[in-house]
């Protein structure tokens, strides 16, 4: 991975929070929140219920604070009391976040619901979504009950509605009717919005900071790095004056709730030092595989990575140098990447392990044959990943071993070589072949798609977002 500017990230988050607090909708929320708190105190004082409310519920599903949870004894499902239901329908509503150890029975019985009712609702829901497979830290339950006022009984409530919220766009609901529970699924369609962001890399600031400053979410920056990683070495190629453009999706449910980021649809990077612009377009090929391609339809992903360990500093370049231990000049046939001892080493490309073991000055050494032309080698390793043997098939990015200082080495580093047709080549300057290239027939489709993306990018205001149907773009 590349270096993550954690401080900048925090600083940025802090700035965002400040900005948010100033927004009118936050102030309205803060006011209603305070009113809720006052209401909650009055109601909890008056109510004779033995179900102790944990917190007030402002929306349908409220997250339960882990600190509150931890102060309560183990495996007692935590509930959030809602008084809105009380006031309008005589029903009480509770919301639970499913935690490890919780079950539908444990949650519902904690509300004083009788066991036969729990069994009945489970039977009704099970054909749609197995109630024995609630996902901890994901699923949420919303329960509406009618309180039963009977001092002598353990049964304190009658179940009226149970909702299992699986995701912001999917929930299963059971409602009590005169003939038992009626179940239904509620699915919401996803609407996507395209967002365009762009900016320059100013002096003294990295690309991540520059993109964060333009409001590009962190996971989108991550994706941007990933798709360019075969062409650009982000540790060494980025300079002030470089420019970036990103168009990506924001996803919303039917109700307009923000779900998260979708894909990067288009990205460009202009490198000042090379006077070179890279453009990548998302395209779903005939096999249904989504990948990124340059303007000519060449795949962004290459057979090999230029530097296997993202973000590692180069401690020795390729070419003639004075050997640090032997003392005389000889060609350095690889690149040295300084990294702490034990740093995992991913395979630069997929292929077959053809050597694994001790190799003289190389120390612990692995060689991978990628195809008839290319091989890569990794030296001075501390150790090998268990399960890696001569003959093992490895995928690009799969961990093969760990950085060390075995053999003729002065400190922990990865010595990395690319061998082309039996000859060593400079990993940083060699042009590597693309994989997953498009057929000539598909290029026509790709070009149509690319033109649409270009138009979409052009019509979007800079650093503003606009609702647009991505389905149109891809067809
Ligand atoms: Zn070396």
């Amino acid at each position: 991975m590349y270096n993550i500017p954690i401080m900048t990230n925090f600083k940025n988050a802090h700035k965002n929070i400040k900005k948010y607090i100033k927004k009118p909708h936050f102030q309205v929320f803060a006011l209603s929140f305070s009113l809720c708190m006052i209401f909650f105190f009055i109601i909890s004082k008056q109510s004779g219920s033995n179900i102790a409310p944990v917190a007030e519920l402002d929306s349908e599903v409220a997250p339960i604070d882990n600190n509150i949870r931890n102060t309560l004894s183990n495996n007692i499902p935590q509930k959030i009391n809602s008084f809105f239901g009380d006031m309008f329908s005589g029903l009480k509503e509770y919301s639970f976040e499913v935690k490890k150890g919780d079950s539908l029975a444990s949650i519902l019985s904690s509300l004083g619901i009788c066991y036969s009712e729990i069994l009945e609702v489970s039977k009704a829901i099970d054909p749609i979504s197995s109630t024995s497979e609630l996902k901890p830290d994901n699923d949420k339950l919303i329960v509406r009950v009618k309180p039963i006022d009977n001092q002598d009984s353990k049964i304190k409530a009658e179940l009226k509605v149970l909702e299992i919220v699986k995701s912001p766009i999917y929930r299963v609901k059971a409602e009590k009717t005169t003939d038992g529970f009626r179940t239904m699924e509620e699915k919401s369609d996803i609407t996507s919005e395209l967002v365009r962001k762009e900016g320059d890399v100013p002096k003294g600031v990295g690309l991540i900071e520059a993109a964060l400053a333009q409001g590009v979410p962190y996971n989108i920056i991550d994706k941007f790095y990933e798709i360019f990683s075969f062409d650009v070495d982000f540790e060494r190629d980025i300079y002030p004056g470089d420019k970036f453009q990103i168009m990506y999706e924001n996803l919303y449910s039917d109700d307009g709730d923000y779900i998260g980021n979708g894909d990067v649809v288009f990205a460009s990077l202009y490198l000042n030092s090379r006077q070179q612009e890279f453009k990548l377009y998302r395209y779903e090929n005939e096999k249904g595989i989504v990948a990124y391609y340059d303007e000519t339809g060449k795949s962004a992903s290459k057979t090999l990575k230029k530097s296997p360990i993202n973000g590692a500093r180069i401690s020795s370049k390729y070419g003639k140098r004075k050997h640090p231990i032997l003392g005389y000049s000889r060609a350095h046939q690889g690149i040295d990447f300084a990294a702490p001892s034990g740093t995992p080493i991913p395979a630069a490309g997929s292929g077959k392990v053809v050597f694994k073991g001790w190799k003289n000055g190389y120390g612990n050494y692995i060689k991978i044959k990628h195809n008839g032309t290319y091989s890569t080698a990794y030296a001075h390793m501390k150790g090998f990943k268990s399960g890696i043997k001569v003959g093992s098939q490895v995928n690009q990015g799969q961990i093969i071993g760990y950085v060390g200082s075995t053999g003729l080495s002065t400190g922990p580093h990865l010595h990395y070589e690319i061998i082309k047709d039996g000859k060593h080549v400079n990993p940083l300057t060699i042009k590597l072949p693309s994989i997953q290239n498009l057929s000539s027939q598909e290029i026509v489709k790709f070009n149509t798609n690319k033109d649409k993306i270009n138009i979409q990018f052009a019509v979007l205001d800079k650093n503003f977002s606009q609702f647009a149907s991505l389905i149109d773009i891809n067809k």
Side-chain angles (χ1 to χ4, degrees):
M1 291 297 295
Y2 44 84
N3 289 325
I4 300 165
I6 292 165
M7 284 316 292
T8 320
N9 217 353
F10 276 130
K11 240 193 284 170
N12 206 62
H14 185 65
K15 252 189 257 162
N16 280 343
I17 289 163
K18 266 197 188 160
K19 231 192 288 171
Y20 195 70
I21 289 171
K22 279 185 196 149
K23 286 195 174 170
H25 71 251
F26 180 81
Q27 289 168 357
V28 170
F29 167 76
L31 182 65
S32 36
F33 182 80
S34 318
L35 284 173
C36 286
M37 287 305 282
I38 295 164
F39 249 122
F40 167 67
F41 269 109
I42 295 167
I43 282 164
S44 61
K45 284 247 163 74
Q46 285 173 348
S47 142
S49 162
N50 63 345
I51 298 165
V54 176
E56 95 290 357
L57 186 69
D58 196 42
S59 61
E60 271 202 312
V61 187
I64 296 168
D65 190 293
N66 268 327
N67 293 327
I68 297 172
R69 173 173 281 276
N70 292 339
T71 59
L72 293 150
S73 50
N74 285 340
N75 272 0
I76 296 174
Q78 303 311 316
K79 48 196 167 286
I80 294 173
N81 200 0
S82 161
F83 45 86
F84 294 114
D86 243 355
M87 288 191 291
F88 300 117
S89 62
L91 299 184
K92 281 195 166 207
E93 183 179 284
Y94 301 92
S95 170
F96 299 87
E97 283 200 339
V98 176
K99 295 285 169 195
K100 211 178 164 192
D102 289 349
S103 68
L104 186 68
S106 70
I107 291 170
L108 295 184
S109 58
S110 77
L111 297 174
I113 294 167
C114 76
Y115 196 70
S116 62
E117 216 163 35
I118 297 172
L119 210 63
E120 201 187 331
V121 78
S122 302
K123 273 189 184 165
I125 289 178
D126 274 341
I128 306 173
S129 172
S130 171
T131 50
S132 61
E133 286 166 20
L134 291 180
K135 265 201 203 148
D137 301 318
N138 177 72
D139 292 357
K140 295 179 182 77
L141 298 189
I142 298 167
V143 188
R144 256 168 252 138
V145 299
K146 190 176 180 190
I148 298 170
D149 195 16
N150 184 349
Q151 294 280 321
D152 307 324
S153 172
K154 278 184 182 171
I155 299 158
K156 298 290 176 201
E158 183 193 352
L159 179 62
K160 289 290 188 189
V161 181
L162 170 66
E163 287 180 47
I164 304 176
V165 183
K166 293 284 192 185
S167 79
I169 55 161
Y170 181 66
R171 64 178 69 191
V172 181
K173 198 171 174 181
E175 257 175 23
K176 196 171 201 179
T177 67
T178 45
D179 324 314
F181 284 98
R182 190 169 61 99
T183 54
M184 68 206 86
E185 287 176 285
E186 285 182 0
K187 283 178 196 164
S188 168
D189 284 335
I190 299 176
T191 314
S192 52
E193 171 200 38
L194 285 175
V195 187
R196 169 178 165 172
K197 302 276 184 189
E198 59 192 88
D200 293 359
V201 178
K203 232 182 179 167
V205 168
L207 179 63
I208 296 176
E209 289 96 325
L212 284 171
Q214 294 303 326
V216 183
Y218 200 82
N219 62 331
I220 294 293
I221 300 173
D222 209 33
K223 184 81 188 178
F224 183 88
Y225 269 58
E226 190 193 315
I227 60 178
F228 281 113
S229 69
F230 293 90
D231 290 309
V232 177
D233 180 344
F234 282 97
E235 283 300 301
R236 287 161 278 270
D237 288 343
I238 301 297
Y239 290 96
D242 290 352
K243 296 178 197 305
F244 64 90
Q245 295 178 316
I246 310 175
M247 185 164 75
Y248 62 92
E249 301 165 312
N250 273 341
L251 305 177
Y252 295 89
S253 73
D254 267 355
D255 304 335
D257 292 333
Y258 174 72
I259 299 168
N261 303 128
D263 259 340
V264 169
V265 177
F266 166 76
S268 85
L269 181 63
Y270 175 76
L271 296 182
N272 216 358
S273 57
R274 291 198 217 161
Q275 305 268 304
Q276 195 179 5
E277 187 178 22
F278 298 89
K279 285 184 179 181
L280 292 178
Y281 297 84
R282 183 183 67 169
Y283 177 70
E284 186 178 337
N285 71 15
E286 279 168 345
K287 290 172 194 153
I289 296 164
V290 175
Y292 292 85
Y293 300 86
D294 72 7
E295 281 174 292
T296 64
K298 279 210 186 81
S299 169
S301 49
K302 304 290 192 288
T303 44
L304 298 175
K305 288 210 165 189
K306 286 180 177 279
S307 49
I309 303 172
N310 276 336
R313 181 177 61 83
I314 287 181
S315 54
S316 184
K317 286 184 181 172
Y318 184 88
K320 237 178 160 46
R321 65 156 187 185
K322 197 174 176 189
H323 194 275
I325 291 177
L326 300 174
Y328 54 85
S329 268
R330 68 171 190 181
H332 186 223
Q333 298 196 309
I335 301 264
D336 290 346
F337 295 99
S341 178
T343 303
I345 302 167
S350 51
K352 200 174 175 184
V353 176
V354 290
F355 188 100
K356 177 207 156 189
W358 188 272
K359 198 181 176 196
N360 306 325
Y362 282 119
N364 285 325
Y365 173 91
I366 276 186
K367 190 172 179 181
I368 300 170
K369 188 179 176 182
H370 302 285
N371 50 36
T373 311
Y374 289 98
S375 300
T376 52
Y378 313 77
H380 309 306
M381 292 160 98
K382 185 181 187 180
F384 306 107
K385 172 87 182 168
S386 61
I388 298 287
K389 300 186 271 284
V390 170
S392 293
Q393 192 67 38
V394 293
N395 292 322
Q396 189 167 58
Q398 190 180 332
I399 306 303
I400 51 168
Y402 306 93
V403 170
S405 189
T406 55
L408 282 180
S409 169
T410 52
H413 74 283
L414 168 69
H415 171 95
Y416 172 59
E417 295 178 355
I418 296 183
I419 302 134
K420 186 185 178 190
D421 294 320
K423 284 185 191 132
H424 286 90
V425 292
N426 185 345
L428 294 191
T429 54
I430 184 156
K431 285 211 161 169
L432 292 160
S434 294
I435 45 175
Q436 298 162 337
N437 277 339
L438 299 169
S439 66
S440 51
Q441 288 161 324
E442 270 216 274
I443 289 280
V444 179
K445 273 194 203 165
F446 167 80
N447 282 336
T448 314
N449 181 68
K450 181 184 80 183
D451 292 346
K452 282 180 180 167
I453 291 176
N454 281 336
I455 293 166
Q456 192 70 61
F457 185 81
V459 299
L460 275 178
D461 278 335
K462 275 181 198 174
N463 298 331
F464 276 91
S465 57
Q466 183 176 305
F467 277 94
S469 165
L470 273 173
I471 293 143
D472 284 349
I473 286 184
N474 286 324
K475 292 235 163 104

